[in-house]
Amino acid sequence: MGSLRERCSWLWVLLAITQICTHCVATPNPPKTYIVHMAKAQMPSKFTHHHDWYASTLKSVVASTKLEYQTEPDPTKKIIYNYGTTFHGFAAQLSEDEAEQLESIPGVISVLPETIYELHTTRSPQFLGIGPEVAENIWSSVLSDHDVIAGVLDTGIWPESPSFSDKGLGPVPARWKGTCELGHGFTAKNCNRKIIGARMFYKGYEAAAGTLNETTEFKSPRDQDGHGTHTAATVAGSAVPDANLFGYASGTARGMAPRARIAAYKVCWTGGCFSSDILAAVDRAVADGVDVLSISLGGGVSSYYRDSLSVAAFGAMEMGVFVACSAGNGGPDPVSLTNVSPWITTVGASTMDRDFPATVKLGNGMNFTGVSLYKGRDNLTPLKQYDVVYMGGNASFPDPRSLCLEGTLDPHAVAGKIVICDRGISPRVQKGQVVKDAGGVGMILANSAANGEELVADSHLLPALAVGDTAGKAIKQYSKTVTRPTATIAFEGTKVGIKPSPVVAAFSSRGPNFLTLEILKPDVIAPGVNILAAWSGNVGPSSLSTDHRRVHFNILSGTSMSCPHVGGVAALIKATHPDWSPAAIKSALMTTAYVHDNTFQPMKDASTGEPSTPYDHGAGHIHPVRAVNPGLVYDISPDDYFEFLCTQKLTSIQLKAFSKTKNRTCKHKFASPGDLNYPAISVVFQERPASVVTQHRTVTNVGTPVSTYSVKVTPFKGATVAVEPSVLHFTKQNQRLSYKITFKAKRGQSAPEFGALTWSDGTHSVRSTVSLTWVVPL
């Protein structure tokens, strides 16, 4: 990358070209990929298969547009995917005119342009209370007939990792319909009784970006990125003793469900993850026979019927498949969530009680603690002080030099010094590479105010550590006010028992769910900071091309890491309760989640240091052992989810996106979206005066057959709460009992209020988060 001056010069050239071409003759736009959603129930009787209907529909449109530049002799060759399991329709290369024409054809629900999704980039089983003895108890021999299969949509898998050993596993489940696709660097021997399926989906990517470059990328299920290997191992990796990254986080690494089978679906490539490929993977995975899907991906938020992943996840749910998706890494900004549909379990990220401390000691004697995973030969001498430099000024806008962006550091100014770099814009480890290339001997990476005091450890390429916003400001102030500022950096290895923990990660995306305020999101949080898991043998731990180190395990952070924790725990619950629906599993995870840290205080938000709210942590932090035996569950049928959609002001044709049969119509059984039998309760006062809101819930007894539950509700400032009945008497297992909750407003509040409604029988506590929101003038 050239200098800023060079890049600005090119910008002026581009602007000049734009001006010159203002009066150029327009040429037809090249075809783009569109996803065409069809209403299966409207297929004319003359067609025996819906694929024939799709082809006929496309042919009629191509014939009617009669584009001069249309050279394709067979219009059906425009189709790159046919969908027929969880999503009905096709993906095709179309012109804008063709796409517009298709939207008016009977039976076409929507025509959506291809969208690009992004990846939401040892100790966690013990931290979650599911060490080997608990896991073995859950995966008892009695459950051998209930082999659970976890599908992972990601960058593929590195099959040689010891995390994918099939030692001790029985034959592949007879119900499995999947396969292992062969390709560059991937043979039939790369699958076993652990990795029972591996597929790749690239047609959408190639249609948009051109043919894959097989000299730099594996055109096969093999993972060269590492992300997919990491998430798959977190879901269901086999136990591997002495796992570590450069000696950090040493111990036995295992997935949440170490006896579950893995099916890897590679949908992400160097240029991104394309929605047509993701849809094809979900469609295929459900047809293959997965029980759980872990999808650490996200795009923007659009209405339910226009979100193709949401529609596909609805179809998966109908077929009994639990779907976990990452919330995104857009925090701490509010309303930054993705994957907000109620039938998806949306997962935010939290810290664990393990840390990797490093210390910077300034020349004035002050010490500041940060974190680092550096392990190299270039350690700084602890007793020696090195010159420190910060290239930033006092301006309110970011300085490219203070951000240590490529090409911005002057070697004469930084050679032989420790450089302070501000976090932001470029990858954290890449900043260290920039410092190293300029001759710097170390780096202090300072958080911004948005990152707060949250510390994410990285395997730096030179002696470096990350410090929080407060420490960063103090160190920068020192560097600017002392004639010759100096410092040194020391690394302290791995420490456990860190308090407080868990803490909500600052990067974890936040609610509320602006599509439907009555559906509280995220659903839960799970470990997503500094997670150790298997890694690709094709790339270094920093993922930089300049990093030539190779490791078997890597430590990563992101909601990409928290999502597979939930996917794996869902697999454990499915093994114990094979007849439970996805909604029942989700309910068990939510109503047994906890909201206090290991100091017995309310969980904190890393970005502020203040107590977090359900907009940050959802129902709370997952507690797998309790979730296996929750006592009561809030179950939701596919028809109930459809009734929820009937409250969302969708047209009849838009609703057909979720209806595969002609006889599914709105029965209007819900007075409002809040009547969906969701495990969390969100009340929205929209009237003035905001008087009374009533919601209804039904619980199913999955605990002791004869039991009595009493209710307890948090008092609120802005409303009174009445629950009828206040006691539930169960006489048998799987018995369903209903109750209603009436919220009567007393006075409007300027901010949401949060609390809980808890049913208890003395053994189980079934906790539903409650939020009250006023959307009217006070």
Side-chain angles (χ1 to χ4, degrees), residues 181 422 472:
E181 291 185 7
D422 287 324

Side-chain angles (χ1 to χ4, degrees), residues 271-538:
C273 321
F274 286 72
S275 55
S276 59
D277 294 329
I278 294 168
L279 268 183
V282 174
D283 209 51
R284 186 67 256 174
V286 174
D288 284 346
V290 301
D291 300 294
V292 171
L293 278 172
S294 177
I295 306 176
S296 291
L297 307 168
V301 176
S302 55
S303 59
Y304 298 112
Y305 83 98
R306 293 189 63 83
D307 183 341
S308 51
L309 178 55
S310 171
V311 177
F314 187 96
M317 171 274 300
E318 283 188 293
M319 301 184 77
V321 176
F322 177 93
V323 181
C325 291
S326 47
N329 298 337
D333 290 343
V335 200
S336 50
L337 287 161
T338 63
N339 302 315
V340 299
S341 298
W343 45 88
I344 290 174
T345 299
T346 310
V347 188
S350 62
T351 65
M352 293 192 297
D353 64 343
R354 180 180 65 195
D355 214 345
F356 309 103
T359 304
V360 54
K361 183 175 182 179
L362 303 182
N364 63 4
M366 294 184 68
N367 291 316
F368 296 94
T369 299
V371 296
S372 180
L373 296 169
Y374 175 73
K375 195 66 170 260
R377 291 172 292 183
D378 301 324
N379 276 312
L380 303 181
T381 304
L383 298 179
K384 179 182 176 181
Q385 288 283 305
Y386 299 81
D387 289 341
V388 172
V389 62
Y390 176 60
M391 305 302 292
N394 296 318
S396 58
F397 53 87
D399 186 323
R401 296 177 304 163
S402 74
L403 290 164
C404 299
L405 302 181
E406 195 170 344
T408 64
L409 296 183
D410 180 359
H412 297 292
V414 304
K417 299 178 181 179
I418 295 174
V419 182
I420 304 168
C421 298
D422 287 324
R423 189 170 163 184
I425 298 181
S426 63
R428 299 183 298 271
V429 178
Q430 189 177 59
K431 295 176 187 291
Q433 181 68 58
V434 171
V435 171
K436 188 176 183 179
D437 291 344
V441 297
M443 177 180 70
I444 300 169
L445 181 63
N447 273 5
S448 65
N451 306 124
E453 304 309 310
E454 175 180 78
L455 298 176
V456 177
D458 293 297
S459 52
H460 294 285
L461 294 164
L462 84 169
L465 84 166
V467 297
D469 179 45
T470 302
K473 287 176 179 175
I475 296 169
K476 285 183 278 190
Q477 176 69 14
Y478 164 75
S479 75
K480 291 293 184 182
T481 54
V482 174
T483 304
R484 188 189 170 191
T486 62
T488 191
I489 302 172
F491 306 97
E492 301 176 26
T494 305
K495 290 191 177 181
V496 296
I498 301 298
K499 294 182 178 181
S501 64
V503 172
V504 179
F507 61 75
S508 185
S509 289
R510 313 303 171 95
N513 169 13
F514 77 89
L515 273 188
T516 312
L517 284 172
E518 289 87 351
I519 302 298
L520 201 60
K521 291 281 183 173
D523 291 307
V524 290
I525 57 171
V529 178
N530 299 334
I531 305 300
L532 179 79
W535 191 243
S536 167
N538 197 64

